[in-house]
């Protein structure tokens, strides 16, 4: 009865897939949208108020009325945001701004209050303020001519062919006095949402990437080539200037006017002109090596000392996923012992944050900082980089590919014994499709998006657990058949009906998942190693590894063909069960590294080959698989003895 249920379950697993589904996001989206709207209202007040008031007198009544409405609307929408620590302070700032506008305060004071409040809103109710990748200004220039030139003019002077028929007139984007007050994020918001009461409509039909490209291009129109050239010199020669705008987030949020408070007017103008035209210059400020991990670890200690364990844990996880994970492939190939030491220390550190004392956490953090310093030395360029790339590429492929190879070979050998060549094509299609998916993963990870450490660990974790569960079921089924006897009769009478289309597609799924989880890992390792400029050694290692794996597959297939059918099933059942134990450990470890599961460290060595990691959760998962196997095998043996007694 148990195995009839198991057989049906295996058939049903044909259609099983896994997806990562987020919870309802509507409330979060609404909050983010409203926070952005408030930010945009405050930016309008900061930039445009000076055109409505001077020396306490109203210059233009319509603009002053609009500024009053914007200040009131910002305060009203702030009240509608969900309760949050710091909201009361925001409301006090909003009331102060509203009062300043009502009292016709100096534009400098109003701009300062509006900018301070908009910055506080973004920190309290966070939302993205920068593109996910460097913008393409050439694309921005093309979009400007097709989308904006008719109103704003080919050079952005506000003299387009439709300008005369519009009221109010299009903004002259070359007007430097106005442009110096506006940040790139403000331009992005205007492009995204438009300006109410004008002909400026939102371009929500464009992708966010295109809207950022357009915002960056528009942000350069009020600057001359001489400004950009002066900014390039300043960026190279002035250390203070290069540290004032440190990343893309800072560049998109800062205006020339605000930057002038930190530098001086000419320097701010030149620097903004240069960086908006050449945002890739900011790459020089990106943390190198393990710097991100070191900084996040230090921040986690500070958060713990401030009494916020949740924030400390989140920062520690970021230290691993955002800081250490990207350099992990290169370090693993150069010094695997150090790599394993750091990974284990990261896991222990996160566990210590849950209930350790600040003193213990500080000591653990200092040890980790020392290990990361060693990693920087190991990762430094050397004359042996080519050799390291070859050896690394070879060992990675052999280590990652062997597990998938064993699963696929076991299925192929089984089908060959069963004389079901018609089903073999499904297994081949499964691993070939996984290789194609791996190629697509490489393209996406290289040219489209940066695959995060969390995504990587979650994919590996869930796919490993899926494969482990399936292999466990297959192993128990094969062992039951190996002790049942009468193999030739079983193969002829049973497998012809058992291996139907549903089972064939199940084998396709298993081959795909088993192969793709290894290809996914290998692709990300190779992508990281390729950035070191070791292309040919890497390809040589890849080619050598593929040749060795093909040789191993050939030997295994020929060896299995010589085994008597009973011995073959017995050996295959043990093989797939061992693989299930290994993958169970790796799957739980992957989910722990992604921060999805808790980690309880245990003092045992890490053995990657067997999927053994120093935590109770991974060990218990592997023990659970082993106990299931032992129970199932005992049931099989007892059933076999009973059948023998009955037949005799």
């Amino acid at each position: 009865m148990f195995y009839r249920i198991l057989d049906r379950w295996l058939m049903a697993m044909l259609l099983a897939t896994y997806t990562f589904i987020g919870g309802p996001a509507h409330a979060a989206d609404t909050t983010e949208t409203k926070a952005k709207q408030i930010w945009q209202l405050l930016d309008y007040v900061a930039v445009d108020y000076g055109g409505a008031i001077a020396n306490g007198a109203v210059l233009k009544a319509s603009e002053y009325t609009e500024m009053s409405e914007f200040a009131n609307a910002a305060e009203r929408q702030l009240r509608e945001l969900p309760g949050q620590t710091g909201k009361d302070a925001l409301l006090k700032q909003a009331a102060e701004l509203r009062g300043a506008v009502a009292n016709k305060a100096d534009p400098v004071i109003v701009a300062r209050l509006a900018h301070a409040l908009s910055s506080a809103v973004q920190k309290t109710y966070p939302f993205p303020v920068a593109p996910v990748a460097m913008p393409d200004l050439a694309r921005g220039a093309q979009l400007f001519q097709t989308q904006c030139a008719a109103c704003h003019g080919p050079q952005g002077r506000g003299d387009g062919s439709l300008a005369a028929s519009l009221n109010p007139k299009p903004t002259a984007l070359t007007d430097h006095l106005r442009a110096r007050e506006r940040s790139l994020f403000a331009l992005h918001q205007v492009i995204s949402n438009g300006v109410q009461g004008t002909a400026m409509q939102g371009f929500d039909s464009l992708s966010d990437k295109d809207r950022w490209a357009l915002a960056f291009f528009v942000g350069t129109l009020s600057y001359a080539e001489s400004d950009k050239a002066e900014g390039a010199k300043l960026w190279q020669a002035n250390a203070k200037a290069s540290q004032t705008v440190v990343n893309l987030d800072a560049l998109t949020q800062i205006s020339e006017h605000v930057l002038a408070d930190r530098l001086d007017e000419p320097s701010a103008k030149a620097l903004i002109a240069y960086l908006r035209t050449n945002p890739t210059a900011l790459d020089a400020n990106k943390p190198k090596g393990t710097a991100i991990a070191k900084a996040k670890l230090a921040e986690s200690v500070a958060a713990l000392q401030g009494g916020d364990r949740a924030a400390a844990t989140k920062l520690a996880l970021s230290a691993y996923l955002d800081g250490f994970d990207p350099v992990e492939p290169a370090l693993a190939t150069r010094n695997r012992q150090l790599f394993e030491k750091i990974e284990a220390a990261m896991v222990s550190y996160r566990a210590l944050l849950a209930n350790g004392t600040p003193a213990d956490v500080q000591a653990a953090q200092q040890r980790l900082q020392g290990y990361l310093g060693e990693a920087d030395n190991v990762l430094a360029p050397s004359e042996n980089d080519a050799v390291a790339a070859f050896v690394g590429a070879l060992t990675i492929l052999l280590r990652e590919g062997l597990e998938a190879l064993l699963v696929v070979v076991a299925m192929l050998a089984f089908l060959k014994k069963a004389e079901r060549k018609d089903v073999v094509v499904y297994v081949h299609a499964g691993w070939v499709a996984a290789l194609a998916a791996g190629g697509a993963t490489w393209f996406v990870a290289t040219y489209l998006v940066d695959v995060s450490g969390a995504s990587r660990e979650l994919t590996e974790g869930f796919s490993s657990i899926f494969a482990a569960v399936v292999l466990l079921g297959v192993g128990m089924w094969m062992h039951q058949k190996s002790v049942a006897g009468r193999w030739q009769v079983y193969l002829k009478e049973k497998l012809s009906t058992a291996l139907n289309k549903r089972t064939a597609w199940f084998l396709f799924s298993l081959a795909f998942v088993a192969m793709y989880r290894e290809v996914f890992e290998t692709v990300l390792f190779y992508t990281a190693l390729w950035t070191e400029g070791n292309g040919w050694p890497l390809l040589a290692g890849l080619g050598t590894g593929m040749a060795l794996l093909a040789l191993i597959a050939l030997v295994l297939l020929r060896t299995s063909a010589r085994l008597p059918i009973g011995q073959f099933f017995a050996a295959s059942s043990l093989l797939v069960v061992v693989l299930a134990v290994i993958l169970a450990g790796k799957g739980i470890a992957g989910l722990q590294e992604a921060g999805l599961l808790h980690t309880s460290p245990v003092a045992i060595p890490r053995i990657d080959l067997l999927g053994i990691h120093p935590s109770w959760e991974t060990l218990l998962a592997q023990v659970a698989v082993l106990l299931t196997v032992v129970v199932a095998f005992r049931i099989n043996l007892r059933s076999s003895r009973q059948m023998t007694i009955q037949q005799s």
Side-chain angles (χ1 to χ4, degrees), residues 597-647:
L597 295 180
H598 179 71
T599 302
S600 303
V602 59
I604 62 169
R606 168 175 169 159
I607 308 175
D608 270 339
L609 186 64
L610 300 179
I612 296 176
H613 290 73
S615 80
W616 282 113
E617 289 80 7
T618 55
L619 289 177
L620 289 174
Q622 291 182 306
V623 169
V625 173
L626 281 173
L627 289 176
T628 304
V629 169
V630 170
V631 172
F633 279 21
R634 285 178 65 87
I635 293 173
N636 290 340
L637 291 170
R638 185 181 302 168
S639 300
S640 176
R641 284 195 296 267
Q642 290 175 351
M643 288 179 61
T644 302
I645 292 172
Q646 292 173 358
Q647 291 172 357

Side-chain angles (χ1 to χ4, degrees), residues 186-260:
L187 290 172
H188 175 267
Q189 288 298 99
V190 170
I191 292 168
S192 300
N193 304 320
V195 180
Q196 190 174 4
T198 74
M200 177 64 192
Q201 301 298 312
F203 289 89
D204 55 358
S205 59
L206 296 177
S207 68
D208 192 60
K209 181 180 178 181
D210 279 349
R211 280 178 274 143
W212 273 114
L214 189 52
F216 266 76
F217 176 76
V218 169
T220 67
L221 291 176
S222 68
Y223 297 100
E225 291 300 322
S226 58
D227 297 325
K228 301 169 188 176
E230 186 62 32
K233 295 177 184 176
L234 188 66
W235 181 255
Q236 295 296 328
N238 190 319
K240 180 182 177 182
S242 63
Q243 291 303 311
T244 304
V245 183
V246 295
N247 53 36
L248 203 56
D249 279 26
L251 178 60
T252 57
Q253 293 182 78
I254 201 165
S255 66
E256 180 190 322
H257 175 83
V258 173
L259 186 59

Side-chain angles (χ1 to χ4, degrees), residues 125-156:
Y125 299 93
F127 51 82
V129 294
V132 295
M134 285 293 174
D136 182 353
L137 268 77
R139 171 66 175 164
Q142 294 173 354
L143 289 168
F144 184 83
Q145 295 304 320
T146 58
Q147 305 288 339
C148 312
C151 296
H152 292 282
Q155 283 77 44

Side-chain angles (χ1 to χ4, degrees), residues 2 5 24 106 162 273 277 323 330 359 361 387 445 529 542 551 600 638:
F2 169 76
I5 295 173
D106 185 89
L162 300 178
T277 309
V361 170
V387 175
L529 291 177
L542 174 65
L551 181 62
S600 303
R638 185 181 302 168

Side-chain angles (χ1 to χ4, degrees), residues 119 206 328 340 369 481 546:
S119 178
L206 296 177
E328 180 182 298
E340 292 179 357
Q369 295 284 5
K481 304 307 178 189
M546 291 174 65

Side-chain angles (χ1 to χ4, degrees), residues 401-460:
L402 191 57
E403 287 176 11
L405 179 69
L406 290 174
V407 175
V408 172
V409 165
M411 287 190 287
L412 292 175
F414 166 71
L415 293 173
K416 187 175 182 181
K417 287 285 186 182
E419 299 181 358
R420 291 300 304 270
K421 294 181 180 180
D422 57 314
V423 183
V424 167
V425 66
Y426 287 85
V427 178
H428 285 307
W431 69 262
V432 170
L435 291 179
T441 300
W442 168 81
F443 179 81
V444 170
T446 304
Y447 297 105
L448 299 182
V449 300
D450 183 17
V451 178
S452 69
S455 299
R456 168 179 160 176
E457 301 296 348
L458 286 172
T459 300
E460 293 174 12

